[in-house]
Amino acid sequence: MPAEEINAERPVDQKEQGEQAEQGEQAEQGEQQDLTVRDPVSAPDAKGRPRRVTRRFPLFTRDTARPEGGGRAAAGDAPAPARQWPVLLVVGLVGVGLLITGLDVFRWGLVLIGAALLIGAVLRWFVLDVGMLAVRSRFTDVVTYGVLGTAIVVLSLMAQPDPRLHIPFLNDLLHFTVSG
């Protein structure tokens, strides 16, 4: 039997435990003086490289990663509106759509809002640097803008009275949920 297993089987009295704890603390203090810790949640491993000792996020983040394509859409010396033209285009179209909706032409105002989101999806897909239009990864932004834009356009074209688009299974689903 190895010595470690023998020591594990025999009972240890309190005096020996205290001595072992003191020796362990002294050894840890000696190691801590030699190694440097880069941030509060990393500690060095056996080779001196920092490693995470906890899965919790740090209390203070020093930097965040920009989404892909989150750079300026124009040169840095251009005025702010020119640098953020993609998001201004989408927000402007949404604003015009809300204005049209507020003037009691709700269907075409909502179609314009949905189209603005679809234009945002197209811009996010094809333009490399779209400024603040980039919120998440490129794929996630395109899918989010595309699905929401399509849903708004389809639902606004199906709205009563006088729907412009007829999708039979959606009518059946609506009648089932309302009358059931």
Side-chain angles (χ1 to χ4, degrees):
M1 260 181 162
E4 295 168 344
E5 290 181 11
I6 294 173
N7 288 339
E9 291 177 3
R10 113 179 136 78
V12 179
D13 63 348
Q14 290 181 353
K15 184 179 178 184
E16 287 181 30
Q17 272 184 332
E19 290 173 0
Q20 289 174 356
E22 285 177 17
Q23 291 172 355
E25 288 175 9
Q26 290 172 355
E28 286 178 9
Q29 288 174 356
E31 289 175 7
Q32 288 176 354
Q33 291 171 357
D34 297 338
L35 301 174
T36 58
V37 177
R38 291 189 185 164
D39 63 330
V41 294
S42 67
D45 62 0
K47 295 180 181 176
R49 296 178 308 218
R51 66 173 177 83
R52 291 185 71 85
V53 294
T54 178
R55 290 176 50 192
R56 289 186 175 181
F57 291 106
L59 289 176
F60 302 104
T61 55
R62 295 186 188 154
D63 195 13
T64 57
R66 297 170 93 183
E68 45 183 301
R72 295 179 175 145
D77 59 346
R83 290 192 309 256
Q84 297 298 332
W85 68 268
V87 74
L88 290 176
L89 174 69
V90 172
V91 169
L93 287 174
V94 168
V96 171
L98 288 173
L99 180 66
I100 292 172
T101 303
L103 295 174
D104 209 21
V105 189
F106 78 95
R107 184 183 321 272
W108 301 115
L110 291 176
V111 167
L112 184 58
I113 292 171
L117 290 175
L118 292 172
I119 289 170
V122 170
L123 286 174
R124 185 68 174 103
W125 185 259
F126 289 111
V127 179
L128 294 179
D129 290 326
V130 290
M132 291 191 299
L133 192 62
V135 179
R136 297 159 293 271
S137 70
R138 187 177 306 271
F139 175 77
T140 305
D141 283 343
V142 168
V143 168
T144 303
Y145 295 145
V147 167
L148 290 176
T150 303
I152 290 172
V153 168
V154 167
L155 291 175
S156 64
L157 291 175
M158 291 180 60
Q160 297 291 335
D162 191 30
R164 305 275 191 250
L165 181 65
H166 298 280
I167 301 178
F169 78 89
L170 288 178
N171 284 333
D172 294 340
L173 182 67
L174 177 67
H175 291 293
F176 176 75
T177 57
V178 172
S179 64

